């Protein structure tokens, strides 16, 4: 099924109150939320009283309950940088393998660097993508044994020139943006704007994956995909993902509660945002970390840059008190996790090495 941008926007603007949201039929598309009113007030301690903020918060709450996915516009990241990040990513992956493998990811590099097509594994199946993985750098010994696996320096290519500077600038903007969206989500959950600061995510860890997907049986590609799963079905690990995807290829799919795969077509200039496993726990399951995957069906090479905003590396995550009281039903067994343990467990099973 295909949607044009107008359809997505229209469905996104339908307002439901919380009762109807719970009874709503399964989502068939993903809403677009203009967060500029939230960003205008996000440093004001009284932001919750602002009508513009309240409207955004209502839309975030509905999107997080229904789909766990939403597009964000009015995000304030300059369009030139937003697009340049994808163009330079395309330029990097276009280089010969000998050049790319100079920054190869290995356990010794703290799982930072370049992986070729088929080296990342999801549920036992090699993914048909290549990528550069980056993580916020940890000071040696910072989290003791918990952090050891992830210690290391990010590996940046020499070519394209200025790639590191560009990505670091972009990552800093994504970090600020994600913190501000999380203030809106904290309000949506019925908490203070600052629930996800301090010991929870005041020193947020982050992950960035710079990704390229080969075109389907394209003649001039370096490597032909052996199947059409660009990235197998998975959930993201932390709080909130900000995905900057190529403008003209539909490849990302999101699973709804009926098990149907719903496309998340490109909406130029927007981030695709989705909830990670830690936010699912904080929200006591009110918000789901939705399964998603990438299917290769276009002959064209596709790039995407995924920024993952996480909790503090050593955060012990359990449902917020405001969310415990909101879940009806008898003696629910609350989930718990230490974020760093969750990440390390994933990373250690994600690779062929
Ligand atoms: N940091 C995050 N969220 N990365 C998502 C990668 C998903 C694929 C990975 N092989 C997996 O199976 O999880
Ligand atoms: O490339 C995409 O569209 C999504 C990638 C993704 O889901 C991930 O890296 O976690
Ligand atoms: Fe993902």
């Amino acid at each position: 099924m295909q949607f044009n941008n107008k359809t997505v926007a229209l469905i996104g603007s339908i307002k439901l109150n919380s009762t109807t949201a719970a009874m709503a039929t399964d989502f068939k598309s993903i809403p677009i939320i203009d967060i500029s009113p939230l960003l205008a007030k996000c440093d004001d301690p009284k932001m919750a009283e602002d009508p513009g903020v309240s409207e955004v918060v209502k839309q975030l709450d509905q999107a997080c309950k229904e789909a766990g996915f939403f597009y964000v516009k009015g995000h304030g990241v300059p369009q030139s940088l937003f697009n340049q990040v994808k163009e330079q990513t395309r330029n990097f992956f276009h280089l010969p393998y000998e050049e790319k493998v100079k920054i190869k990811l290995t356990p010794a590099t703290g799982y930072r660097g370049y992986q070729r097509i088929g080296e990342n594994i999801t549920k036992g199946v090699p993914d048909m993508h290549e990528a550069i993985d980056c993580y916020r750098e940890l000071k040696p010994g910072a989290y003791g044994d918990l952090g050891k696996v992830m210690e290391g320096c990010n590996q940046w290519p020499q070519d394209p020139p200025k790639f590191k500077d560009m990505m670091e600038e972009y990552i800093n903007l994504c970090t600020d943006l994600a913190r501000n969206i999380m203030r809106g989500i904290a309000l949506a959950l019925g908490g203070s704007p600052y629930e996800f600061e301090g010991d929870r995510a005041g020193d947020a860890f982050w992950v960035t994956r710079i990704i390229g997907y080969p075109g389907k049986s394209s003649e001039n590609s370096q490597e032909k995909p052996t199947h059409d799963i660009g990235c197998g079905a998975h959930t993201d690990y932390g709080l909130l993902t900000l995905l900057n995807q190529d403008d003209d290829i539909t490849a990302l799919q999101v699973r709804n509660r009926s098990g149907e795969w719903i496309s998340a077509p490109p909406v130029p200039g927007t981030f695709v945002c989705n909830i990670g496993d830690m936010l699912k726990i904080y929200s006591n399951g009110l918000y789901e970390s939705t399964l998603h995957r990438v299917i290769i069906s276009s002959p064209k090479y596709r790039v995407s840059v995924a920024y993952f905003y996480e909790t503090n590396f050593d955060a012990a995550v359990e449902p917020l008190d405001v969310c415990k009281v909101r879940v009806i039903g008898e003696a629910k067994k609350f989930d718990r996790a230490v974020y760093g343990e969750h990440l390390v467990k994933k990373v250690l099973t994600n690779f062929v090495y």
Side-chain angles (χ1 to χ4, degrees):
M1 190 168 177
Q2 278 291 335
F3 313 96
N4 59 37
N5 296 351
K6 279 212 184 78
T7 321
V8 177
L10 186 74
I11 294 171
S13 70
I14 294 171
K15 314 263 181 339
L16 298 172
N17 64 38
S18 55
T19 332
T20 46
M23 304 185 303
T25 53
D26 234 339
F27 72 91
K28 301 285 183 192
S29 66
I30 295 164
I32 300 176
I33 304 178
D34 180 353
I35 61 162
S36 46
L38 170 68
L39 296 186
K41 287 278 150 61
C42 64
D43 290 325
D44 177 351
K46 291 206 164 91
M47 62 187 281
E49 295 161 27
D50 181 83
V53 171
S54 302
E55 179 55 34
V56 175
V57 166
K58 197 166 111 192
Q59 290 179 31
L60 286 172
D61 188 46
Q62 189 190 323
C64 290
K65 278 184 184 143
E66 280 201 3
F69 265 80
F70 50 93
Y71 296 88
V72 152
K73 66 175 187 182
H75 50 68
V77 176
Q79 284 301 318
S80 52
L81 180 60
F82 190 82
N83 291 329
Q84 196 195 5
V85 156
K86 283 176 291 200
E87 278 326 298
Q88 296 291 48
T89 294
R90 204 182 319 279
N91 292 339
F92 172 76
F93 288 126
H94 196 69
L95 296 170
Y97 175 71
E98 298 71 46
E99 192 59 32
K100 295 185 279 192
V101 79
K102 286 180 181 167
I103 58 162
K104 185 179 167 62
L105 176 158
T106 69
T109 65
Y111 291 89
R112 296 151 194 267
Y114 173 77
Q115 60 213 259
R116 72 187 305 174
I117 292 169
E119 286 182 340
N120 201 305
I121 294 172
T122 301
K123 304 214 176 91
V125 179
D127 290 325
M128 293 297 109
H129 71 251
E130 53 186 329
I132 304 175
D133 284 357
C134 317
Y135 297 89
R136 187 178 159 184
E137 290 180 8
L138 300 177
K139 291 196 186 74
Y143 298 104
D145 286 348
L146 180 64
K148 260 212 166 53
V149 170
M150 304 312 304
E151 281 177 18
C153 297
N154 286 323
Q155 301 199 80
W156 299 105
Q158 294 293 321
D159 186 13
K162 305 261 176 67
F163 192 86
K164 172 179 191 270
D165 294 348
M166 174 195 65
M167 283 296 173
E168 287 183 341
E169 182 188 354
Y170 179 74
I171 288 167
N172 287 337
L173 291 176
C174 287
T175 301
D176 289 341
L177 174 61
R179 185 198 315 109
N180 293 334
I181 297 174
M182 289 308 298
R183 288 187 181 173
I185 290 178
L187 290 174
L189 286 169
S192 96
Y194 313 115
E195 297 292 341
F196 300 107
E197 291 171 42
D199 287 348
R200 294 191 181 118
D203 187 29
F205 191 68
W206 55 257
V207 182
T208 301
R209 305 200 67 221
I210 298 160
I211 315 170
Y213 301 88
K216 196 181 173 95
S217 66
S218 49
E219 287 307 317
N220 50 2
S221 73
Q222 295 174 16
E223 282 175 281
K224 285 192 186 20
T226 52
H227 57 77
D228 65 357
I229 312 292
C231 186
H234 67 278
T235 59
D236 293 340
Y237 316 152
L239 289 176
L240 184 72
T241 304
L242 307 180
L243 178 76
N244 180 353
Q245 64 167 337
D246 236 343
D247 275 348
D248 48 5
I249 301 168
T250 298
L252 175 62
Q253 298 181 337
V254 180
R255 207 185 66 165
N256 74 12
R257 288 186 205 91
S258 310
E260 299 165 306
W261 289 100
I262 306 301
S263 283
V267 178
T270 66
F271 284 102
V272 181
C273 297
N274 63 281
I275 289 167
D277 299 334
M278 297 304 109
L279 183 50
K280 177 190 175 151
I281 297 177
Y282 278 129
S283 74
N284 204 14
L286 214 55
Y287 299 164
E288 186 67 52
S289 52
T290 310
L291 269 178
H292 54 283
R293 66 181 187 186
V294 176
I295 299 295
I296 294 173
S297 59
S298 161
K300 275 173 67 182
Y301 194 94
R302 173 178 182 266
V303 298
S304 69
V305 179
Y307 169 89
F308 305 92
Y309 186 73
E310 317 284 81
T311 64
N312 295 357
F313 193 81
D314 59 356
V317 179
E318 57 176 331
L320 302 178
D321 285 338
V322 280
C323 296
K324 282 182 188 160
V325 299
R326 279 181 69 182
V327 173
I328 316 138
E330 72 279 13
K332 175 158 167 31
K333 201 164 157 282
F334 298 130
D335 265 342
R336 288 181 61 92
V338 174
Y339 167 73
E341 286 175 4
H342 185 61
L343 174 69
V344 166
K345 200 161 71 188
K346 292 282 188 179
V347 167
L348 291 179
T349 53
N350 272 348
F351 293 100
V352 291
Y353 5 90

